[in-house]
Structures are given as C-alpha cells and as structure tokens.
Amino acid sequence: MDPDSLPDAGRAVHGGSSLRLDFSANTNPERPPGVRQVYEAAFDASTRYPDEAYADYRAAAADYVDCAAEEVVPTSGGTEAIRLALATHVSPGDSVLVPTPSFGEYAREVRLQGATPAFVPHDEVLDSTPEHHTAAVVCTPNNPTGELVDPEALADFAARCRRAGTLLVVDEAFLDFTTTESLAGTPGTVVCRSLTKLFGLPGLRMGFACATGDPYERLETARPAWNLSTPAAAVGAHCLRQDAFVERTRERVARERERMCEALVEAGYEVFDSDAPFCLLDVGARSVDSVVEHLAAEDIAVRDCRSFGLANHVRVAVKRRAENDRLLEALARV
C-alpha cells in the first residue's frame, strides 16, 4: 500500500440499511440449516487462536469451486481477497483495467496502491488489450448491472492476460447464484469469492481467493495471521458443503427474479437482464430521490446507483416472495 495515496483513495459506497425491508444489500435472507449450532460449537473453541492452517476450510472451498486445496487462500470476506490480489501485484505508477459501472472497491484498492484505474465499460473489458496494464479486473456477474460474462470469452481473455504478463483478478462474488463454473485454478488468475451473499451471513466475513504458482505464494505470504476467526472458518466450511441449500436458493432467486422483472416492466420501469440476485432499474421519468424517499417512508431500502455513476437508476435485491411483493407494490405506487 502506498501511504501517499491514502488521501485520494476515499471510501467506496455500499448497500445496507436499518430499514425493516432492506433491498439495498444483495444478501440471501435465508441461511443453511445447522449454522447456529456450528457457530455455537466453534464459539467454545474461540478462547484459543484459530488454526492457521485452516485445513478444513480450504478443503471445503476447493471442493466448492473445483480446484486444489493448495490453491485456496482464506480471507475475511471477498473484499480482503480483492485487496490481497492487488496489493501483492500492483505498485505506484501502475495501470489497472477496471470495469465501470462496477463494484467501487476495485478502483479504491487500485488507488491505495498508488496506481491508476483505467476505466473500461464493463461489457468491453474482455475486448481490451491487457499488455500495458499490470492487472485487469472482471466482475461476473457484474455489480450493479447483473449480467454474467461469457465463460469462453473470459477464458480467452485470461489466456491473453497470461501471455501479456498481466494479472487477471476475477470477482465471482455472485457466481454462486449461477451454474457457471469458476475460473479457479487458472494460471495467472486470482479468483475472489465471497460467502456472505449466497449464505446470508455478511457479518461473519467469510471468503477466499484462489490462485496458482507465484500469485498464490504472494497472497498466502501477505495474508494476515489468523485473518479468519474460528467461528467464521467453521461456519464457512459448513456452508460450502450445503449443496441442497445452494440449489434451492438458485431456483428461488431465478424464479423470483423473473417474476419481479415482469412486474416492474409492467409498472413502467426499464429492467436490465440479470443473472444475479438483484435487478438494476432505470426509473424513467421518476427521480431517484423520489423513489428512494417514497420507499423509505414505507420502511423499504433500495440501492441508489448514483455512486456507480448511474444517474437514473436503483438496484433492488431479490428476496422471498412475500418480501418481493411488498417491494413491487411500493414501486408501483411511486
């Protein structure tokens, strides 16, 4: 990290609200069975430092994304994985390809290293020339637009980055909600995963990075000691083995997302195609302020997307049917 760059890095804006129905954060409202029991059992072991090997957690993560356990680096959430990837490869004065609009932490972490984010439209990153950049970032499905990157095109871009000596950082925070295979285990690539979205436990801060060769060695060396708490490691390993829960969640989200999109179009909103557990809406003639304020009066929060550089858009998470109905009814009244 470049100390001189701290004043210019700023803080990224994220979702999350204390309102009763929070559609601004894209986390699952449901959790896998047995989580509380696993957490309580792990709590009793928290009088000791965590086991630095994290063997069970690494094994569960490796099985989940189909890579080797020796390629998994435990992290405290997906954002720590992103930071480790960029901090171990990017130096002051470097250039990094960053998609826009997309997750605000990418540009922030690049600036923290004293480097310059080279912004590219999110749907044009894979057509970019990586040769003049130290690293490139891809988010799939992209946040906040929601579309999945074509897997074959992404694999081809990874190969071009590898030939150019450019590190490819792939944020797969929402890939769990699809059946698309992870890029984990691909040489020259760091895959960043978050357990907080699909498993609905953002407060536990669980995630991991996957890399091979020199990138793996850099991440594992730079990883803070005991960066995953004992309860987080135990609950994370448990969650990663809940195949039935994952399948049920994917089916529910896909079903509800389609139903919500149809209703929102009928209500006069332009809705972007999405493969993620959220939808991006163009509010049209309505103002973003009027939408956000009207919903807040009904104790409902949505994500104002002006911080993404989208002047006329809001993002809404996909929750359970009854909760989604409340949102749809409120949006129709704006």
Side-chain angles (χ1 to χ4, degrees):
M1 188 176 296
D2 177 26
D4 293 335
S5 299
L6 288 171
D8 299 323
R11 301 288 297 183
V13 177
H14 300 293
S17 170
S18 60
L19 295 181
R20 192 168 68 85
L21 283 178
D22 184 8
F23 285 85
S24 69
N26 306 309
T27 56
N28 193 348
E30 299 182 356
R31 277 148 293 286
V35 164
R36 183 179 295 275
Q37 292 88 334
V38 173
Y39 182 91
E40 290 175 351
F43 182 79
D44 291 336
S46 296
T47 55
R48 301 183 298 275
Y49 283 104
D51 179 1
E52 263 281 271
Y54 294 114
D56 190 47
Y57 186 85
R58 292 182 201 255
D63 288 343
Y64 190 72
V65 297
D66 193 22
C67 72
E70 297 76 17
E71 298 168 354
V72 173
V73 179
T75 62
S76 178
T79 52
E80 185 176 74
I82 295 165
R83 169 167 289 186
L84 280 174
L86 294 172
T88 55
H89 291 82
V90 176
S91 301
D94 287 347
S95 174
V96 178
L97 282 170
V98 174
T100 184
S102 200
F103 189 42
E105 292 291 342
Y106 309 142
R108 176 174 182 265
E109 292 298 334
V110 169
R111 293 188 178 108
L112 281 172
Q113 310 314 317
T116 301
F119 291 106
V120 182
H122 67 92
D123 54 354
E124 297 178 14
V125 174
L126 302 191
D127 297 323
S128 302
T129 301
E131 278 76 9
H132 302 298
H133 306 279
T134 302
V137 180
V138 173
C139 181
T140 181
N142 188 54
N143 177 17
T145 54
E147 79 276 30
L148 186 70
V149 173
D150 177 71
E152 292 186 6
L154 181 56
D156 178 70
F157 185 63
R160 288 193 285 122
C161 285
R162 190 161 57 251
R163 289 194 295 270
T166 300
L167 180 76
L168 175 60
V169 179
V170 183
D171 185 357
E172 297 181 349
F174 297 104
L175 196 68
D176 314 59
F177 293 88
T178 78
T179 57
T180 301
E181 292 184 3
S182 171
L183 214 63
T186 302
T189 299
V190 174
V191 165
C192 303
R193 301 287 298 218
S194 167
L195 275 64
T196 60
K197 279 73 174 178
L198 183 69
F199 300 114
L201 293 164
L204 276 185
R205 309 310 305 138
M206 304 174 295
F208 59 93
C210 297
T212 65
D214 179 65
Y216 170 83
E217 295 299 334
R218 295 188 187 203
L219 268 64
E220 182 63 16
T221 300
R223 176 178 65 86
W226 313 300
N227 62 326
L228 205 58
S229 72
T230 298
V235 171
H238 172 78
C239 289
L240 287 164
R241 295 181 171 117
Q242 303 304 304
D243 296 343
F245 174 84
V246 172
E247 184 60 31
R248 287 196 306 271
T249 299
R250 287 173 178 166
E251 292 174 355
R252 171 176 55 80
V253 168
R255 182 176 62 250
E256 283 298 297
R257 183 178 60 223
E258 181 179 5
R259 188 177 71 87
M260 290 173 69
C261 289
E262 291 176 356
L264 288 165
V265 170
E266 289 181 5
Y269 295 90
E270 180 182 349
V271 184
F272 288 64
D273 291 337
S274 176
D275 300 289
F278 54 82
C279 300
L280 180 66
L281 316 180
D282 185 327
V283 300
R286 310 165 181 86
S287 72
V288 169
D289 284 332
S290 68
V291 172
V292 171
E293 291 169 7
H294 175 89
L295 294 175
E298 300 199 32
D299 222 8
I300 300 172
V302 295
R303 180 70 155 85
D304 179 345
C305 287
R306 283 176 288 194
S307 61
F308 288 104
L310 298 172
N312 211 41
H313 298 71
V314 297
R315 190 194 65 199
V316 299
V318 177
K319 295 187 178 294
R320 292 168 291 205
R321 187 179 184 91
E323 296 159 331
N324 296 335
D325 284 343
R326 279 284 311 279
L327 173 70
L328 295 172
E329 291 165 3
L331 281 170
R333 289 194 294 267
V334 177

